[in-house]
Amino acid sequence: MDARFMQDVPSSPIARQQSVRLVVQRLLRDRSVSRAEIARGTGLSKQTISEVMRELEREGWVHEDGQIQGSVGRSAVTYALRGDAAFVLGIDLGGTKLHVALADLHGEIVAESIEPTSNDGGHAVVAQIVRMKDALLQQAGVPAQRLRGGVMGSPGMVDPVSGSIVIAPNIPGLDSLDVRAALREQLGIEVVIENDVNLAAIGEHWRGSSRKVRSFAFIAVGTCIGMGIFSDGYLVRGARGAAGEIAYLPLGGDPYDARGLRLGTLETAVGSAGIVERYVGLGGSLGSTVRDIFERLDTEEAARITVDEIGRILTSAILAVQSVLDSEIIIVGGSIGARPELKRRIDEYLGRCMRQPVRIELSALGSRATLIGAIGSAIDLVHRSLFGIGRDAGPLTLPFAAEEVAA
């Protein structure tokens, strides 16, 4: 945090940071709260809270939000964090689509745009993101200096230490470029890169199907297959950022088949290309898409068998995942995974192979899950840089989430 901000708050540097962090966490959790309520919830002295609140208000992070009636008839002023004190950038980078959104510290999107992803390689993609950012700032009337951080979701494996994209299918040149450094330099803000499915899991945990769940898995099935894992409230990344790479589970085919080395055995079987290949092999029409196959479920035997077999393979994967993770729920999303016809088959097969089948839910955020997760992670990034006490601190509470979020 800025030294200027902390200079008037007494006690040691660590204690000062802890005091600020506790106050901000309470403001994030309750949205609007009085000093007395903060004191009861944090154990901090009234003097410390007054000093912290005075500085937060002076620096523009907090404002008076209203009044509440006290138990003895006196009213108390309530305070809230200013949503427009800073802004963040959420980026969902896909092989065909680039979705960028500008949001305030309450997570409210003030501007967003979608473009086809540039086919000219990593440097062109970075330039495209910068151009889209500039347009969004202008559209929302937000000064560039108020943009304080950003998070980008990317397909493939992201190294948890360096942030480099180790494997980036469908985006040429991305894994040979230091994308994080390029974005930091070109955008002029702190940028973090995270696996897109991990961000989708964060989005669901913040504003989707698992807001009240601490241990769950999010499985995305589309062109590819991937999984984000939350255990006891924390995102699990693994030693090399590869936790949840279920594409390589030895299911749906021969794990020693060389064709599975690049995409993984499971993905080869249940990704969009594998589904179409299976359908054609059963006598389905050449040139069909996955959408065509689902639309023919009630009229064509090849389509019905294809979806049944995909449901059975995915159920085997869920059974393997659940045996290891013991999740409270498993959320299924992605353009294919979110199909209710597929969920019905998974529920049926789970009932045949699990004594107590894990609850399966479809994503509440749909195609916006990664973007919402990127925005939430960017807000957390800003809060940590301003109010945190270090990398090893527990996760900050994200802004209060509305009960209903449009998918």
Side-chain angles (χ1 to χ4, degrees), residues 9-265:
V9 183
S11 73
S12 69
I14 293 296
R16 290 197 299 268
Q17 289 279 23
Q18 289 173 333
S19 297
V20 172
R21 182 183 180 84
L22 287 171
V23 170
V24 171
Q25 280 184 291
R26 186 59 190 265
L27 288 166
L28 283 166
R29 192 189 76 183
D30 292 341
R31 198 68 178 258
S32 181
V33 64
S34 69
R35 294 185 184 189
E37 288 171 326
I38 295 174
R40 287 194 296 270
T42 63
L44 297 173
S45 70
K46 291 182 179 179
Q47 178 183 353
T48 297
I49 291 172
S50 294
E51 291 167 343
V52 170
M53 292 297 289
R54 183 170 61 248
E55 293 306 312
L56 283 169
E57 192 172 10
R58 188 178 73 182
E59 294 295 323
W61 298 105
V62 166
H63 67 102
E64 292 186 10
D65 190 52
Q67 291 186 336
I68 56 173
Q69 197 68 27
S71 58
V72 293
R74 298 177 60 185
S75 61
V77 175
T78 59
Y79 296 86
L81 288 172
R82 294 182 64 97
D84 61 354
F87 292 82
V88 300
L89 208 62
I91 306 165
D92 179 8
L93 173 62
T96 60
K97 180 184 69 175
L98 177 58
H99 195 170
V100 182
L102 181 68
D104 66 16
L105 291 183
H106 288 163
E108 300 300 322
I109 295 175
V110 298
E112 62 181 304
S113 63
I114 303 175
E115 293 183 2
T117 304
S118 172
N119 294 321
D120 296 329
H123 288 286
V125 170
V126 171
Q128 183 180 15
I129 292 170
V130 173
R131 176 177 53 76
M132 293 174 71
K133 178 267 298 183
D134 291 340
L136 293 178
L137 288 174
Q138 183 176 10
Q139 177 185 337
V142 174
Q145 61 268 25
R146 294 174 71 184
L147 183 62
R148 301 296 292 265
V151 170
M152 184 179 82
S154 170
M157 189 185 304
V158 179
D159 186 279
V161 177
S162 68
S164 62
I165 302 171
V166 181
I167 302 174
N170 304 322
I171 305 177
L174 205 64
D175 51 4
S176 60
L177 171 68
D178 190 338
V179 181
R180 185 170 69 174
L183 286 172
R184 285 174 173 174
E185 179 182 355
Q186 296 294 318
L187 294 174
I189 56 174
E190 178 69 15
V191 177
V192 169
I193 299 176
E194 179 64 85
N195 172 266
D196 54 358
V197 182
N198 282 349
L199 286 181
I202 291 172
E204 290 289 343
H205 191 49
W206 179 29
R207 291 190 163 177
S209 299
S210 59
R211 279 173 284 172
K212 298 180 180 180
V213 176
R214 293 183 60 81
S215 296
F216 71 95
F218 176 91
I219 298 177
V221 187
T223 303
C224 308
I225 184 170
M227 181 172 69
I229 304 166
F230 264 77
S231 178
D232 198 24
Y234 286 82
L235 178 69
V236 178
R237 292 184 174 87
R240 292 173 293 277
E245 289 292 336
I246 60 171
Y248 291 90
L249 282 177
L251 299 170
D254 180 3
Y256 297 100
D257 187 331
R259 292 176 297 177
L261 285 176
R262 189 173 71 88
L263 300 177
T265 304

